[in-house]
Amino acid sequence: MKGIVYLEDGTVFEGNGFGKLGTEVGEIVFNTSMTGYQEILTDPSYAGQIVNMTYPLIGNYGVNSVENQSNRVYAKGFVVKNVSENPSNYMNEMTLDEMLKKMNIVGIYGVDTRSITKKIRNAGVMKCVISNEIFEISKLKEIIDSTEIVDRYVSEVSTKEILHIAGTGYKVAVMDFGIKNDIIENLKARNFDITIFPYDTDYKKVLSINPDGLFLSNGPGDPKSIPNAVKNVAKLLKCLPTFGICLGHQIIALAIGGNTYKMKYGHRGGNHGIYDIERDKAYITAQNHGYAVDEASILDKNMVITHRNLNDGTVEGMKSTELPIFSVQFHPEGAPGPTDTTILFEQFEENIKRSKLQDDSCLEKVAY
């Protein structure tokens, strides 16, 4: 069947359709990963977005039930150059086309994804409509013009109830803004006793379990879209050793009085270089974000920069000089991508250990 990609600026790309028969509108972004399409599609951080893959061959090793980062696909649509109909891998359980049909996701293939990527790099992210059922440009324009993208994605992807994963180690409260399964697996690997809270849980409810540490997860969209969560985190930072990843990193910046901004086209892929200032070492990392921390806004908030992006110099990590708080913009858990920086989970555990040795009554620091 036919397929079409119509960008907000009027650019049209004609190709073929796969997956669900339908039409979707979202913010189009590009991902530079060579593998990991299944993890990308099921990453809640992509909620509301249409993902354009730069690597030309997608679906060649199929889909399995192990690699999912959540229980569904949160991306609004998927755009690829070539899609494999005959995947080859010992773990393969279904084709990418079958997965998209099962998850009700519209897919487009046979278009120039590199050209789409160049368009986004030059003009920035923009609204896009993809369809494998409607091909009249006037109708597509009407759809995109009449659709307003409202950033309420965190409320859609966060858990709706408190979840507990028993462990023998320190008790960690996890604020779920759209957490990936591999992050949970890394926390479990340290034997943490994990309690996962909905994103808007009041800080008093979080403190009621008497946690030893606080973890702030990744998630979709603008951190300024969830101001109440930022206020609750600001309270919790006063007394709990805290580790934030991606959206969690940005929320820490807002919670301490800093600022964030929307990037032109963001960082998405499994091959982004960062510089670890403290270790004097470079790493290749997995990233997925469209917002960044404003460096100037946090320098007078007792924060220091710990990591920088090697392409554009943006803030990739920071830590407090007074409290056991640190965060990174990249994804140390990978999925997909390198896992060379999983040592950060060990750093979180060490911070908790030191905090308990030095001050076992930190909850008193929070004003009720």
PDB file of all heavy atoms in Angstrom, residues 1-5 13-23 78 83 85 96-98 100-101 104-111 130-135:
ATOM      1  N   MET A   1       0.839  -1.197   0.000  1.00  0.00           N
ATOM      2  CA  MET A   1       0.000   0.000   0.000  1.00  0.00           C
ATOM      3  C   MET A   1       0.873   1.246   0.000  1.00  0.00           C
ATOM      4  O   MET A   1       2.032   1.212   0.416  1.00  0.00           O
ATOM      5  CB  MET A   1      -0.910   0.021   1.233  1.00  0.00           C
ATOM      6  CG  MET A   1      -0.197  -0.079   2.575  1.00  0.00           C
ATOM      7  SD  MET A   1      -1.370  -0.154   3.941  1.00  0.00           S
ATOM      8  CE  MET A   1      -0.267  -0.642   5.283  1.00  0.00           C
ATOM      9  N   LYS A   2       0.299   2.365  -0.474  1.00  0.00           N
ATOM     10  CA  LYS A   2       1.025   3.619  -0.533  1.00  0.00           C
ATOM     11  C   LYS A   2       1.199   4.208   0.858  1.00  0.00           C
ATOM     12  O   LYS A   2       0.483   3.868   1.801  1.00  0.00           O
ATOM     13  CB  LYS A   2       0.270   4.616  -1.420  1.00  0.00           C
ATOM     14  CG  LYS A   2       0.294   4.297  -2.897  1.00  0.00           C
ATOM     15  CD  LYS A   2      -0.554   5.303  -3.664  1.00  0.00           C
ATOM     16  CE  LYS A   2      -0.048   6.728  -3.471  1.00  0.00           C
ATOM     17  NZ  LYS A   2      -0.862   7.705  -4.240  1.00  0.00           N
ATOM     18  N   GLY A   3       2.164   5.119   0.969  1.00  0.00           N
ATOM     19  CA  GLY A   3       2.376   5.831   2.222  1.00  0.00           C
ATOM     20  C   GLY A   3       2.893   7.222   1.928  1.00  0.00           C
ATOM     21  O   GLY A   3       3.520   7.452   0.878  1.00  0.00           O
ATOM     22  N   ILE A   4       2.648   8.159   2.840  1.00  0.00           N
ATOM     23  CA  ILE A   4       3.065   9.535   2.611  1.00  0.00           C
ATOM     24  C   ILE A   4       3.468  10.194   3.916  1.00  0.00           C
ATOM     25  O   ILE A   4       2.907   9.910   4.981  1.00  0.00           O
ATOM     26  CB  ILE A   4       1.934  10.334   1.922  1.00  0.00           C
ATOM     27  CG1 ILE A   4       2.459  11.666   1.379  1.00  0.00           C
ATOM     28  CG2 ILE A   4       0.752  10.540   2.857  1.00  0.00           C
ATOM     29  CD1 ILE A   4       1.485  12.349   0.417  1.00  0.00           C
ATOM     30  N   VAL A   5       4.490  11.036   3.820  1.00  0.00           N
ATOM     31  CA  VAL A   5       4.956  11.845   4.947  1.00  0.00           C
ATOM     32  C   VAL A   5       4.789  13.300   4.545  1.00  0.00           C
ATOM     33  O   VAL A   5       5.342  13.732   3.531  1.00  0.00           O
ATOM     34  CB  VAL A   5       6.442  11.562   5.277  1.00  0.00           C
ATOM     35  CG1 VAL A   5       6.922  12.472   6.407  1.00  0.00           C
ATOM     36  CG2 VAL A   5       6.641  10.096   5.641  1.00  0.00           C
ATOM     37  N   PHE A  13       6.947  13.603   1.175  1.00  0.00           N
ATOM     38  CA  PHE A  13       7.737  12.426   0.815  1.00  0.00           C
ATOM     39  C   PHE A  13       6.768  11.272   0.570  1.00  0.00           C
ATOM     40  O   PHE A  13       6.003  10.905   1.463  1.00  0.00           O
ATOM     41  CB  PHE A  13       8.712  12.050   1.936  1.00  0.00           C
ATOM     42  CG  PHE A  13       9.768  13.082   2.217  1.00  0.00           C
ATOM     43  CD1 PHE A  13       9.535  14.114   3.123  1.00  0.00           C
ATOM     44  CD2 PHE A  13      10.990  13.036   1.571  1.00  0.00           C
ATOM     45  CE1 PHE A  13      10.498  15.060   3.388  1.00  0.00           C
ATOM     46  CE2 PHE A  13      11.969  13.990   1.821  1.00  0.00           C
ATOM     47  CZ  PHE A  13      11.721  15.000   2.736  1.00  0.00           C
ATOM     48  N   GLU A  14       6.804  10.711  -0.635  1.00  0.00           N
ATOM     49  CA  GLU A  14       5.904   9.618  -0.982  1.00  0.00           C
ATOM     50  C   GLU A  14       6.646   8.287  -0.942  1.00  0.00           C
ATOM     51  O   GLU A  14       7.782   8.183  -1.397  1.00  0.00           O
ATOM     52  CB  GLU A  14       5.301   9.851  -2.369  1.00  0.00           C
ATOM     53  CG  GLU A  14       4.411  11.079  -2.439  1.00  0.00           C
ATOM     54  CD  GLU A  14       3.768  11.248  -3.803  1.00  0.00           C
ATOM     55  OE1 GLU A  14       4.128  10.477  -4.721  1.00  0.00           O
ATOM     56  OE2 GLU A  14       2.903  12.126  -3.953  1.00  0.00           O
ATOM     57  N   GLY A  15       5.979   7.284  -0.372  1.00  0.00           N
ATOM     58  CA  GLY A  15       6.588   5.968  -0.281  1.00  0.00           C
ATOM     59  C   GLY A  15       5.518   4.905  -0.148  1.00  0.00           C
ATOM     60  O   GLY A  15       4.504   4.937  -0.864  1.00  0.00           O
ATOM     61  N   ASN A  16       5.751   3.989   0.772  1.00  0.00           N
ATOM     62  CA  ASN A  16       4.821   2.884   0.994  1.00  0.00           C
ATOM     63  C   ASN A  16       4.432   2.806   2.465  1.00  0.00           C
ATOM     64  O   ASN A  16       5.160   3.292   3.335  1.00  0.00           O
ATOM     65  CB  ASN A  16       5.469   1.557   0.567  1.00  0.00           C
ATOM     66  CG  ASN A  16       5.917   1.583  -0.871  1.00  0.00           C
ATOM     67  OD1 ASN A  16       5.104   1.684  -1.784  1.00  0.00           O
ATOM     68  ND2 ASN A  16       7.217   1.501  -1.083  1.00  0.00           N
ATOM     69  N   GLY A  17       3.301   2.173   2.724  1.00  0.00           N
ATOM     70  CA  GLY A  17       2.839   2.037   4.089  1.00  0.00           C
ATOM     71  C   GLY A  17       3.023   0.636   4.619  1.00  0.00           C
ATOM     72  O   GLY A  17       3.035  -0.342   3.851  1.00  0.00           O
ATOM     73  N   PHE A  18       3.196   0.531   5.938  1.00  0.00           N
ATOM     74  CA  PHE A  18       3.177  -0.772   6.607  1.00  0.00           C
ATOM     75  C   PHE A  18       2.636  -0.559   8.009  1.00  0.00           C
ATOM     76  O   PHE A  18       2.312   0.564   8.409  1.00  0.00           O
ATOM     77  CB  PHE A  18       4.549  -1.451   6.592  1.00  0.00           C
ATOM     78  CG  PHE A  18       5.606  -0.839   7.482  1.00  0.00           C
ATOM     79  CD1 PHE A  18       6.132  -1.564   8.554  1.00  0.00           C
ATOM     80  CD2 PHE A  18       6.111   0.441   7.253  1.00  0.00           C
ATOM     81  CE1 PHE A  18       7.123  -1.029   9.361  1.00  0.00           C
ATOM     82  CE2 PHE A  18       7.107   0.979   8.052  1.00  0.00           C
ATOM     83  CZ  PHE A  18       7.605   0.244   9.113  1.00  0.00           C
ATOM     84  N   GLY A  19       2.494  -1.637   8.758  1.00  0.00           N
ATOM     85  CA  GLY A  19       1.891  -1.511  10.073  1.00  0.00           C
ATOM     86  C   GLY A  19       0.411  -1.248   9.977  1.00  0.00           C
ATOM     87  O   GLY A  19      -0.273  -1.675   9.038  1.00  0.00           O
ATOM     88  N   LYS A  20      -0.115  -0.496  10.943  1.00  0.00           N
ATOM     89  CA  LYS A  20      -1.539  -0.187  10.994  1.00  0.00           C
ATOM     90  C   LYS A  20      -1.953   0.707   9.825  1.00  0.00           C
ATOM     91  O   LYS A  20      -1.220   1.605   9.433  1.00  0.00           O
ATOM     92  CB  LYS A  20      -1.853   0.522  12.309  1.00  0.00           C
ATOM     93  CG  LYS A  20      -3.229   1.145  12.400  1.00  0.00           C
ATOM     94  CD  LYS A  20      -3.331   2.065  13.589  1.00  0.00           C
ATOM     95  CE  LYS A  20      -4.632   2.854  13.586  1.00  0.00           C
ATOM     96  NZ  LYS A  20      -4.712   3.827  14.704  1.00  0.00           N
ATOM     97  N   LEU A  21      -3.133   0.456   9.265  1.00  0.00           N
ATOM     98  CA  LEU A  21      -3.711   1.344   8.275  1.00  0.00           C
ATOM     99  C   LEU A  21      -4.290   2.545   9.003  1.00  0.00           C
ATOM    100  O   LEU A  21      -5.165   2.407   9.862  1.00  0.00           O
ATOM    101  CB  LEU A  21      -4.817   0.635   7.493  1.00  0.00           C
ATOM    102  CG  LEU A  21      -5.525   1.463   6.420  1.00  0.00           C
ATOM    103  CD1 LEU A  21      -4.551   1.809   5.302  1.00  0.00           C
ATOM    104  CD2 LEU A  21      -6.744   0.713   5.882  1.00  0.00           C
ATOM    105  N   GLY A  22      -3.771   3.744   8.699  1.00  0.00           N
ATOM    106  CA  GLY A  22      -4.272   4.903   9.411  1.00  0.00           C
ATOM    107  C   GLY A  22      -3.483   6.161   9.123  1.00  0.00           C
ATOM    108  O   GLY A  22      -2.634   6.205   8.226  1.00  0.00           O
ATOM    109  N   THR A  23      -3.770   7.187   9.930  1.00  0.00           N
ATOM    110  CA  THR A  23      -3.147   8.501   9.801  1.00  0.00           C
ATOM    111  C   THR A  23      -2.789   9.007  11.181  1.00  0.00           C
ATOM    112  O   THR A  23      -3.604   8.896  12.110  1.00  0.00           O
ATOM    113  CB  THR A  23      -4.110   9.493   9.119  1.00  0.00           C
ATOM    114  OG1 THR A  23      -4.502   8.976   7.841  1.00  0.00           O
ATOM    115  CG2 THR A  23      -3.465  10.860   8.950  1.00  0.00           C
ATOM    116  N   PHE A  78       6.236   5.561  12.695  1.00  0.00           N
ATOM    117  CA  PHE A  78       7.591   5.091  12.417  1.00  0.00           C
ATOM    118  C   PHE A  78       7.874   5.271  10.930  1.00  0.00           C
ATOM    119  O   PHE A  78       7.073   4.853  10.077  1.00  0.00           O
ATOM    120  CB  PHE A  78       7.702   3.622  12.808  1.00  0.00           C
ATOM    121  CG  PHE A  78       9.089   3.158  13.144  1.00  0.00           C
ATOM    122  CD1 PHE A  78       9.955   3.942  13.883  1.00  0.00           C
ATOM    123  CD2 PHE A  78       9.525   1.902  12.740  1.00  0.00           C
ATOM    124  CE1 PHE A  78      11.228   3.507  14.215  1.00  0.00           C
ATOM    125  CE2 PHE A  78      10.795   1.452  13.075  1.00  0.00           C
ATOM    126  CZ  PHE A  78      11.640   2.259  13.808  1.00  0.00           C
ATOM    127  N   VAL A  83      12.299  -1.651   5.024  1.00  0.00           N
ATOM    128  CA  VAL A  83      11.850  -2.509   6.111  1.00  0.00           C
ATOM    129  C   VAL A  83      11.999  -3.967   5.678  1.00  0.00           C
ATOM    130  O   VAL A  83      11.595  -4.352   4.584  1.00  0.00           O
ATOM    131  CB  VAL A  83      10.393  -2.183   6.512  1.00  0.00           C
ATOM    132  CG1 VAL A  83       9.426  -2.394   5.356  1.00  0.00           C
ATOM    133  CG2 VAL A  83       9.971  -3.007   7.722  1.00  0.00           C
ATOM    134  N   GLU A  85      11.278  -7.824   5.434  1.00  0.00           N
ATOM    135  CA  GLU A  85      10.127  -8.721   5.542  1.00  0.00           C
ATOM    136  C   GLU A  85      10.551 -10.129   5.928  1.00  0.00           C
ATOM    137  O   GLU A  85       9.704 -10.984   6.199  1.00  0.00           O
ATOM    138  CB  GLU A  85       9.365  -8.745   4.216  1.00  0.00           C
ATOM    139  CG  GLU A  85       8.787  -7.391   3.817  1.00  0.00           C
ATOM    140  CD  GLU A  85       8.083  -7.426   2.479  1.00  0.00           C
ATOM    141  OE1 GLU A  85       8.108  -8.503   1.837  1.00  0.00           O
ATOM    142  OE2 GLU A  85       7.500  -6.409   2.085  1.00  0.00           O
ATOM    143  N   LEU A  96       8.730  -6.698  12.133  1.00  0.00           N
ATOM    144  CA  LEU A  96       8.424  -5.341  12.567  1.00  0.00           C
ATOM    145  C   LEU A  96       7.033  -4.939  12.093  1.00  0.00           C
ATOM    146  O   LEU A  96       6.276  -4.298  12.829  1.00  0.00           O
ATOM    147  CB  LEU A  96       9.476  -4.373  12.025  1.00  0.00           C
ATOM    148  CG  LEU A  96       9.273  -2.889  12.353  1.00  0.00           C
ATOM    149  CD1 LEU A  96       9.219  -2.645  13.851  1.00  0.00           C
ATOM    150  CD2 LEU A  96      10.387  -2.054  11.714  1.00  0.00           C
ATOM    151  N   ASP A  97       6.674  -5.317  10.898  1.00  0.00           N
ATOM    152  CA  ASP A  97       5.344  -5.017  10.375  1.00  0.00           C
ATOM    153  C   ASP A  97       4.269  -5.634  11.266  1.00  0.00           C
ATOM    154  O   ASP A  97       3.261  -4.989  11.586  1.00  0.00           O
ATOM    155  CB  ASP A  97       5.229  -5.546   8.945  1.00  0.00           C
ATOM    156  CG  ASP A  97       3.869  -5.277   8.326  1.00  0.00           C
ATOM    157  OD1 ASP A  97       3.381  -4.137   8.429  1.00  0.00           O
ATOM    158  OD2 ASP A  97       3.278  -6.211   7.735  1.00  0.00           O
ATOM    159  N   GLU A  98       4.472  -6.865  11.667  1.00  0.00           N
ATOM    160  CA  GLU A  98       3.499  -7.534  12.545  1.00  0.00           C
ATOM    161  C   GLU A  98       3.411  -6.845  13.898  1.00  0.00           C
ATOM    162  O   GLU A  98       2.325  -6.723  14.482  1.00  0.00           O
ATOM    163  CB  GLU A  98       3.890  -9.009  12.707  1.00  0.00           C
ATOM    164  CG  GLU A  98       3.706  -9.833  11.449  1.00  0.00           C
ATOM    165  CD  GLU A  98       4.317 -11.216  11.552  1.00  0.00           C
ATOM    166  OE1 GLU A  98       5.239 -11.417  12.376  1.00  0.00           O
ATOM    167  OE2 GLU A  98       3.879 -12.116  10.798  1.00  0.00           O
ATOM    168  N   LEU A 100       3.965  -3.612  14.528  1.00  0.00           N
ATOM    169  CA  LEU A 100       3.247  -2.355  14.386  1.00  0.00           C
ATOM    170  C   LEU A 100       1.751  -2.582  14.218  1.00  0.00           C
ATOM    171  O   LEU A 100       0.938  -1.825  14.759  1.00  0.00           O
ATOM    172  CB  LEU A 100       3.800  -1.562  13.195  1.00  0.00           C
ATOM    173  CG  LEU A 100       5.238  -1.065  13.302  1.00  0.00           C
ATOM    174  CD1 LEU A 100       5.546  -0.082  12.170  1.00  0.00           C
ATOM    175  CD2 LEU A 100       5.521  -0.411  14.638  1.00  0.00           C
ATOM    176  N   LYS A 101       1.387  -3.619  13.493  1.00  0.00           N
ATOM    177  CA  LYS A 101      -0.039  -3.952  13.363  1.00  0.00           C
ATOM    178  C   LYS A 101      -0.631  -4.317  14.720  1.00  0.00           C
ATOM    179  O   LYS A 101      -1.728  -3.875  15.084  1.00  0.00           O
ATOM    180  CB  LYS A 101      -0.228  -5.104  12.381  1.00  0.00           C
ATOM    181  CG  LYS A 101      -0.081  -4.724  10.912  1.00  0.00           C
ATOM    182  CD  LYS A 101      -0.417  -5.908  10.027  1.00  0.00           C
ATOM    183  CE  LYS A 101      -0.521  -5.491   8.559  1.00  0.00           C
ATOM    184  NZ  LYS A 101       0.768  -5.159   7.974  1.00  0.00           N
ATOM    185  N   ASN A 104      -0.997  -1.210  16.797  1.00  0.00           N
ATOM    186  CA  ASN A 104      -1.779  -0.137  16.162  1.00  0.00           C
ATOM    187  C   ASN A 104      -0.949   1.104  15.869  1.00  0.00           C
ATOM    188  O   ASN A 104      -1.349   2.238  16.182  1.00  0.00           O
ATOM    189  CB  ASN A 104      -2.986   0.235  17.034  1.00  0.00           C
ATOM    190  CG  ASN A 104      -3.994  -0.887  17.140  1.00  0.00           C
ATOM    191  OD1 ASN A 104      -4.357  -1.495  16.131  1.00  0.00           O
ATOM    192  ND2 ASN A 104      -4.438  -1.180  18.343  1.00  0.00           N
ATOM    193  N   ILE A 105       0.215   0.903  15.257  1.00  0.00           N
ATOM    194  CA  ILE A 105       1.119   2.001  14.920  1.00  0.00           C
ATOM    195  C   ILE A 105       1.280   2.090  13.408  1.00  0.00           C
ATOM    196  O   ILE A 105       1.526   1.089  12.733  1.00  0.00           O
ATOM    197  CB  ILE A 105       2.500   1.795  15.580  1.00  0.00           C
ATOM    198  CG1 ILE A 105       2.359   1.658  17.093  1.00  0.00           C
ATOM    199  CG2 ILE A 105       3.432   2.947  15.220  1.00  0.00           C
ATOM    200  CD1 ILE A 105       1.738   2.847  17.785  1.00  0.00           C
ATOM    201  N   VAL A 106       1.156   3.313  12.882  1.00  0.00           N
ATOM    202  CA  VAL A 106       1.304   3.541  11.444  1.00  0.00           C
ATOM    203  C   VAL A 106       2.786   3.599  11.080  1.00  0.00           C
ATOM    204  O   VAL A 106       3.577   4.255  11.765  1.00  0.00           O
ATOM    205  CB  VAL A 106       0.620   4.866  11.043  1.00  0.00           C
ATOM    206  CG1 VAL A 106       0.846   5.153   9.552  1.00  0.00           C
ATOM    207  CG2 VAL A 106      -0.868   4.814  11.353  1.00  0.00           C
ATOM    208  N   GLY A 107       3.148   2.926  10.004  1.00  0.00           N
ATOM    209  CA  GLY A 107       4.522   2.950   9.523  1.00  0.00           C
ATOM    210  C   GLY A 107       4.603   3.372   8.064  1.00  0.00           C
ATOM    211  O   GLY A 107       3.682   3.097   7.280  1.00  0.00           O
ATOM    212  N   ILE A 108       5.700   4.048   7.708  1.00  0.00           N
ATOM    213  CA  ILE A 108       5.959   4.449   6.330  1.00  0.00           C
ATOM    214  C   ILE A 108       7.371   4.006   5.960  1.00  0.00           C
ATOM    215  O   ILE A 108       8.309   4.194   6.741  1.00  0.00           O
ATOM    216  CB  ILE A 108       5.858   5.979   6.143  1.00  0.00           C
ATOM    217  CG1 ILE A 108       4.506   6.504   6.619  1.00  0.00           C
ATOM    218  CG2 ILE A 108       6.127   6.358   4.684  1.00  0.00           C
ATOM    219  CD1 ILE A 108       3.320   6.033   5.804  1.00  0.00           C
ATOM    220  N   TYR A 109       7.535   3.404   4.764  1.00  0.00           N
ATOM    221  CA  TYR A 109       8.872   3.056   4.303  1.00  0.00           C
ATOM    222  C   TYR A 109       9.013   3.438   2.832  1.00  0.00           C
ATOM    223  O   TYR A 109       8.037   3.808   2.177  1.00  0.00           O
ATOM    224  CB  TYR A 109       9.155   1.560   4.508  1.00  0.00           C
ATOM    225  CG  TYR A 109       8.493   0.625   3.521  1.00  0.00           C
ATOM    226  CD1 TYR A 109       9.172   0.159   2.400  1.00  0.00           C
ATOM    227  CD2 TYR A 109       7.188   0.173   3.725  1.00  0.00           C
ATOM    228  CE1 TYR A 109       8.572  -0.710   1.496  1.00  0.00           C
ATOM    229  CE2 TYR A 109       6.572  -0.691   2.844  1.00  0.00           C
ATOM    230  CZ  TYR A 109       7.266  -1.133   1.721  1.00  0.00           C
ATOM    231  OH  TYR A 109       6.669  -1.979   0.832  1.00  0.00           O
ATOM    232  N   GLY A 110      10.248   3.358   2.350  1.00  0.00           N
ATOM    233  CA  GLY A 110      10.491   3.692   0.951  1.00  0.00           C
ATOM    234  C   GLY A 110      10.626   5.181   0.703  1.00  0.00           C
ATOM    235  O   GLY A 110      10.514   5.631  -0.442  1.00  0.00           O
ATOM    236  N   VAL A 111      10.880   5.953   1.767  1.00  0.00           N
ATOM    237  CA  VAL A 111      11.108   7.398   1.608  1.00  0.00           C
ATOM    238  C   VAL A 111      12.565   7.708   1.919  1.00  0.00           C
ATOM    239  O   VAL A 111      13.284   6.899   2.514  1.00  0.00           O
ATOM    240  CB  VAL A 111      10.187   8.216   2.546  1.00  0.00           C
ATOM    241  CG1 VAL A 111       8.734   8.033   2.147  1.00  0.00           C
ATOM    242  CG2 VAL A 111      10.398   7.836   4.006  1.00  0.00           C
ATOM    243  N   ILE A 130       1.657  11.503   8.954  1.00  0.00           N
ATOM    244  CA  ILE A 130       1.970  10.364   8.098  1.00  0.00           C
ATOM    245  C   ILE A 130       0.684   9.574   7.875  1.00  0.00           C
ATOM    246  O   ILE A 130      -0.181   9.504   8.749  1.00  0.00           O
ATOM    247  CB  ILE A 130       3.063   9.445   8.701  1.00  0.00           C
ATOM    248  CG1 ILE A 130       2.599   8.838  10.042  1.00  0.00           C
ATOM    249  CG2 ILE A 130       4.364  10.194   8.880  1.00  0.00           C
ATOM    250  CD1 ILE A 130       3.556   7.795  10.590  1.00  0.00           C
ATOM    251  N   SER A 131       0.572   8.997   6.704  1.00  0.00           N
ATOM    252  CA  SER A 131      -0.651   8.261   6.389  1.00  0.00           C
ATOM    253  C   SER A 131      -0.391   7.206   5.341  1.00  0.00           C
ATOM    254  O   SER A 131       0.434   7.389   4.435  1.00  0.00           O
ATOM    255  CB  SER A 131      -1.740   9.227   5.890  1.00  0.00           C
ATOM    256  OG  SER A 131      -2.939   8.532   5.625  1.00  0.00           O
ATOM    257  N   ASN A 132      -1.103   6.095   5.477  1.00  0.00           N
ATOM    258  CA  ASN A 132      -1.122   5.090   4.424  1.00  0.00           C
ATOM    259  C   ASN A 132      -2.565   4.852   3.957  1.00  0.00           C
ATOM    260  O   ASN A 132      -2.884   3.801   3.422  1.00  0.00           O
ATOM    261  CB  ASN A 132      -0.455   3.781   4.871  1.00  0.00           C
ATOM    262  CG  ASN A 132      -0.965   3.292   6.217  1.00  0.00           C
ATOM    263  OD1 ASN A 132      -2.130   3.494   6.571  1.00  0.00           O
ATOM    264  ND2 ASN A 132      -0.090   2.630   6.965  1.00  0.00           N
ATOM    265  N   GLU A 133      -3.416   5.898   4.163  1.00  0.00           N
ATOM    266  CA  GLU A 133      -4.808   5.813   3.721  1.00  0.00           C
ATOM    267  C   GLU A 133      -5.303   7.109   3.070  1.00  0.00           C
ATOM    268  O   GLU A 133      -6.237   7.092   2.277  1.00  0.00           O
ATOM    269  CB  GLU A 133      -5.724   5.472   4.899  1.00  0.00           C
ATOM    270  CG  GLU A 133      -5.713   6.509   6.020  1.00  0.00           C
ATOM    271  CD  GLU A 133      -6.698   6.227   7.121  1.00  0.00           C
ATOM    272  OE1 GLU A 133      -7.444   5.230   7.012  1.00  0.00           O
ATOM    273  OE2 GLU A 133      -6.732   6.999   8.102  1.00  0.00           O
ATOM    274  N   ILE A 134      -4.708   8.255   3.431  1.00  0.00           N
ATOM    275  CA  ILE A 134      -5.088   9.554   2.867  1.00  0.00           C
ATOM    276  C   ILE A 134      -3.889  10.109   2.104  1.00  0.00           C
ATOM    277  O   ILE A 134      -2.792  10.211   2.648  1.00  0.00           O
ATOM    278  CB  ILE A 134      -5.506  10.545   3.977  1.00  0.00           C
ATOM    279  CG1 ILE A 134      -6.699  10.003   4.769  1.00  0.00           C
ATOM    280  CG2 ILE A 134      -5.827  11.915   3.385  1.00  0.00           C
ATOM    281  CD1 ILE A 134      -7.058  10.842   5.977  1.00  0.00           C
ATOM    282  N   PHE A 135      -4.110  10.502   0.841  1.00  0.00           N
ATOM    283  CA  PHE A 135      -2.982  10.936   0.020  1.00  0.00           C
ATOM    284  C   PHE A 135      -3.200  12.305  -0.622  1.00  0.00           C
ATOM    285  O   PHE A 135      -2.329  12.797  -1.330  1.00  0.00           O
ATOM    286  CB  PHE A 135      -2.690   9.887  -1.057  1.00  0.00           C
ATOM    287  CG  PHE A 135      -2.528   8.502  -0.491  1.00  0.00           C
ATOM    288  CD1 PHE A 135      -3.512   7.548  -0.675  1.00  0.00           C
ATOM    289  CD2 PHE A 135      -1.417   8.169   0.272  1.00  0.00           C
ATOM    290  CE1 PHE A 135      -3.378   6.272  -0.132  1.00  0.00           C
ATOM    291  CE2 PHE A 135      -1.277   6.903   0.817  1.00  0.00           C
ATOM    292  CZ  PHE A 135      -2.257   5.954   0.625  1.00  0.00           C
TER     293      PHE A 135
END
